[in-house]
Amino acid sequence: MNGSKSYLGKLATPSLHKLSPDAKEFIPASVRSTHVKAEPVLSPVSNYAVAIFRGYVEDLMQEPGMYDATVADLKQNLPFYVHTEMIASKLAEELVQHSIEESNFRYTGARLSEVLSTCLSTVNFKKQFLHRCGIEFSRKKELIATKEGQKHLIGFSLFVGELLLNMQLKDGGMIEIFQGAIFQLLALFMSAPNDDTVRCVTQLLKLTGGVLETRDEQSPELDSLFDGIKSFIVSSNSSTFMVFSSTTHFQV
């Protein structure tokens, strides 16, 4: 591959709920289980596949302008080493965690999620990826309770915003999953106003507001969102929201 390293040898769609942090949680069906299975030990081949994937992620971080060339190489080589759902789940874990922790990678991570869903379809990467996102989403009330947890939840929420814009099915079903999650995450952040959550709400609205508004102009969820924003402005008593909201589609 010209200009890029080679690493060879190295949910069912839920209905939306009334805007409330106590609304029924969006959790893909694959996440709901009555028991926790012991995690199997990765084989040398599995570890090798994860190492190769980490190399591609590092390359994309260092040279985002080489995205097309790097992804072309990934699609050609990575599937050879990813031959089980267990390995696919490990790659999903790597991708979600990196996208949460690295703000400059979230857009690329969302695009890469769609790429992997296609080139690793035989090992159900999309299923494993949605399962991993669902687990993260199910922790939202736990995370909002602490400062460090809020930082993690903010990273995840902004990643979900990128997924709403970049990871889609032909029938639009995927959008509904992430759209419902964003409504609930916004409600949760607005129930715990501080400088960080105010900033996250405004960034998330700036990122996804046009899509949410276009798809749900007549929905009760959107009306509830407007009402929640008005209350949020009053309760947060912060100029941060007003500064950011002037650039979003949501004007109150």
Side-chain angles (χ1 to χ4, degrees):
M1 176 177 64
N2 295 331
S4 180
K5 296 177 289 184
S6 174
Y7 297 100
L8 291 179
K10 285 179 31 188
L11 315 230
T13 301
S15 59
L16 298 182
H17 305 286
K18 184 174 179 62
L19 186 69
S20 167
D22 297 317
K24 184 178 179 181
E25 293 183 352
F26 146 73
I27 304 177
S30 58
V31 178
R32 305 170 194 142
S33 63
T34 58
H35 63 280
V36 178
K37 296 180 180 179
E39 185 176 357
V41 178
L42 287 181
S43 67
V45 174
S46 301
N47 285 322
Y48 190 57
V50 172
I52 291 173
F53 180 67
R54 286 175 179 169
Y56 283 117
V57 169
E58 181 181 352
D59 218 27
L60 289 169
M61 283 286 294
Q62 294 178 351
E63 299 181 274
M66 295 296 296
Y67 177 86
D68 289 340
T70 301
V71 166
D73 191 77
L74 178 153
K75 289 192 293 185
Q76 180 179 356
N77 296 314
L78 185 62
F80 181 76
Y81 299 96
V82 184
H83 48 78
T84 68
E85 290 193 11
M86 184 186 71
I87 302 176
S89 72
K90 288 298 179 182
L91 299 191
E93 171 73 23
E94 290 283 329
L95 182 56
V96 170
Q97 284 298 329
H98 204 73
S99 298
I100 291 172
E101 295 169 2
E102 299 290 341
S103 59
N104 292 334
F105 185 74
R106 287 171 194 147
Y107 167 69
T108 299
R111 294 178 67 191
L112 193 56
S113 301
E114 181 66 20
V115 170
L116 294 174
S117 295
T118 301
C119 73
L120 300 180
S121 60
T122 58
V123 290
N124 293 316
F125 176 84
K126 181 167 286 185
K127 172 187 172 183
Q128 301 301 326
F129 178 79
L130 291 178
H131 175 85
R132 183 61 186 81
C133 288
I135 291 174
E136 203 67 41
F137 185 85
S138 70
R139 300 175 57 217
K140 63 186 185 299
K141 292 182 181 178
E142 168 195 342
L143 292 170
I144 198 70
T146 67
K147 189 74 172 178
E148 192 62 27
Q150 286 180 11
K151 179 180 178 182
H152 185 88
L153 186 60
I154 286 169
F156 173 68
S157 300
L158 294 173
F159 180 47
V160 172
E162 293 290 1
L163 289 171
L164 175 66
L165 302 179
N166 293 286
M167 190 177 184
Q168 303 178 7
L169 292 178
K170 292 181 179 180
D171 62 5
M174 189 64 65
I175 293 178
E176 299 295 335
I177 291 177
F178 296 124
Q179 180 176 275
I182 287 172
F183 274 121
Q184 292 187 45
L185 289 165
L186 285 169
L188 184 61
F189 285 127
M190 288 191 291
S191 73
N194 59 47
D195 286 348
D196 292 333
T197 57
V198 168
R199 187 173 295 107
C200 180
V201 168
T202 54
Q203 288 176 331
L204 195 52
L205 287 175
K206 183 178 180 180
L207 178 65
T208 66
V211 174
L212 297 178
E213 190 172 31
T214 299
R215 291 181 61 83
D216 275 305
E217 290 181 350
Q218 307 299 324
S219 77
E221 284 77 16
L222 192 62
D223 291 338
S224 295
L225 178 58
F226 277 114
D227 292 339
I229 290 174
K230 292 175 183 178
S231 299
F232 184 54
I233 293 173
V234 174
S235 62
S236 64
N237 192 28
S238 171
S239 61
T240 305
F241 185 89
M242 300 307 295
V243 170
F244 279 93
S245 66
S246 64
T247 63
T248 71
H249 292 265
F250 288 95
Q251 302 296 317
V252 297

